[in-house]
Amino acid sequence: MSYGKAHLEEKLLRALAEAIGELEDPRLFLLTVEGVRLSPDGRVLTVYVEAFSDEEKALLALHHAERRLLSQIARRVRLRHLPRLEFLPWRARPA
């Protein structure tokens, strides 16, 4: 992975974690963004999260908030194209 991609993924992780923290959804209580992976073409940002309560409900809440989260990311990180967000549980990440 190049330095540029790693740096961008770190910025996206921080921006997304802040944006999720600002959501006032009880299903996202005690949710942590553990990692992100940007696809090689930059079209998909896979977000690995860990929920300490009901994980299915948390993933559903994130899916429903995707547009709001993309809007927040666009304000925090300068990108030519916004990626589609894909939320997965932390345990599903590739090794």
Side-chain angles (χ1 to χ4, degrees):
M1 178 184 330
S2 67
Y3 168 77
K5 184 177 177 190
H7 182 71
L8 179 58
E9 286 179 345
E10 182 62 32
K11 286 177 71 173
L12 288 167
L13 183 138
R14 277 190 261 123
L16 196 53
E18 289 173 8
I20 290 172
E22 292 171 2
L23 295 175
E24 295 180 6
D25 191 327
R27 297 174 292 180
L28 301 176
F29 183 67
L30 293 177
L31 179 112
T32 306
V33 179
E34 296 290 345
V36 296
R37 181 164 293 165
L38 190 62
S39 66
D41 62 2
R43 293 178 186 223
V44 179
L45 181 66
T46 304
V47 183
Y48 298 101
V49 296
E50 186 170 10
F52 295 100
S53 58
D54 190 351
E55 195 167 78
E56 282 185 35
K57 287 183 181 178
L59 290 172
L60 185 62
L62 289 170
H63 176 71
H64 286 292
E66 181 177 357
R67 285 185 169 208
R68 189 175 319 148
L69 293 172
L70 282 172
S71 173
Q72 292 296 324
I73 289 171
R75 289 188 183 121
R76 292 177 165 104
V77 181
R78 306 250 327 142
L79 295 170
R80 187 170 288 173
H81 302 285
L82 283 175
R84 180 175 57 84
L85 299 178
E86 179 179 89
F87 297 100
L88 295 175
W90 177 241
R91 67 180 183 281
R93 75 191 182 290

